[in-house]
Amino acid sequence: MAYQYDDQNIFAKILRGEIPNDTVLETEHSLAFRDIQPQAPVHILVIPRGPYVCFDHFAQEASDAEITDYVRAVGEVCKMNGLETDGFRLIANAGHDGVQEVPHLHVHILAGRMLGRMLAKA
Ligand code: AMP
């Protein structure tokens, strides 16, 4: 299946400057900002600037430069917040079963409290 990117999604609007955001880090190919409904003391989203729906779309179609920038941006946000001390969790929801609400790739960085086991029972 080929992914179809919807450029009216809320993160596309943030990237175009149409909606404000609480920026944590800007790089050439990536943007990190605080989640509007934080679920932990640290809850930061990292998105690529390019039009990628989800992680596998990005992995298949992004350039090496975009992928390198994105992975390093995630690492930099972790470093900026001192997360190597107590740890953190990365989540990248995709599609229906992953309960992805915004169809633009984003990694959630969650930290600052004990996060519990990875999945609750459905
Ligand atoms: P997901 O379910 O993985 O698609 O998560 C989408 C996330 O985007 C949720 O945690 C929302 O709280 C967050 N979110 C939605 N709109 C905004 C916004 N304008 N600024 C920051 N975070 C947002």
Side-chain angles (χ1 to χ4, degrees):
M1 181 194 89
Y3 283 108
Q4 299 290 324
Y5 182 78
D6 170 13
D7 69 5
Q8 293 307 305
N9 78 76
I10 200 153
F11 294 169
K13 291 179 180 177
I14 284 175
L15 285 165
R16 290 195 296 266
E18 295 167 11
I19 292 177
N21 72 94
D22 186 356
T23 299
V24 172
L25 178 70
E26 289 186 274
T27 68
E28 182 179 1
H29 295 294
S30 309
L31 175 69
F33 54 93
R34 296 194 187 280
D35 196 291
I36 203 164
Q37 288 189 295
Q39 296 187 35
V42 176
H43 189 169
I44 295 167
L45 304 173
V46 187
I47 67 174
R49 294 186 187 277
Y52 304 105
V53 176
C54 55
F55 200 98
D56 57 320
H57 187 206
F58 183 67
Q60 289 161 23
E61 297 192 9
S63 68
D64 289 355
E66 290 176 297
I67 291 171
T68 300
D69 181 293
Y70 187 65
V71 173
R72 291 212 188 278
V74 171
E76 181 63 22
V77 171
C78 292
K79 188 176 174 190
M80 290 165 67
N81 287 274
L83 303 188
E84 67 273 26
T85 306
D86 290 329
F88 59 93
R89 180 170 295 157
L90 298 183
I91 297 175
N93 296 318
H96 176 271
D97 286 1
V99 195
Q100 181 181 11
E101 292 175 13
V102 180
H104 182 113
L105 170 61
H106 49 285
V107 167
H108 299 252
I109 302 176
L110 295 152
R113 67 170 170 83
M114 170 56 75
L115 295 163
R117 295 186 69 82
M118 192 164 69
L119 293 176
K121 288 186 179 156

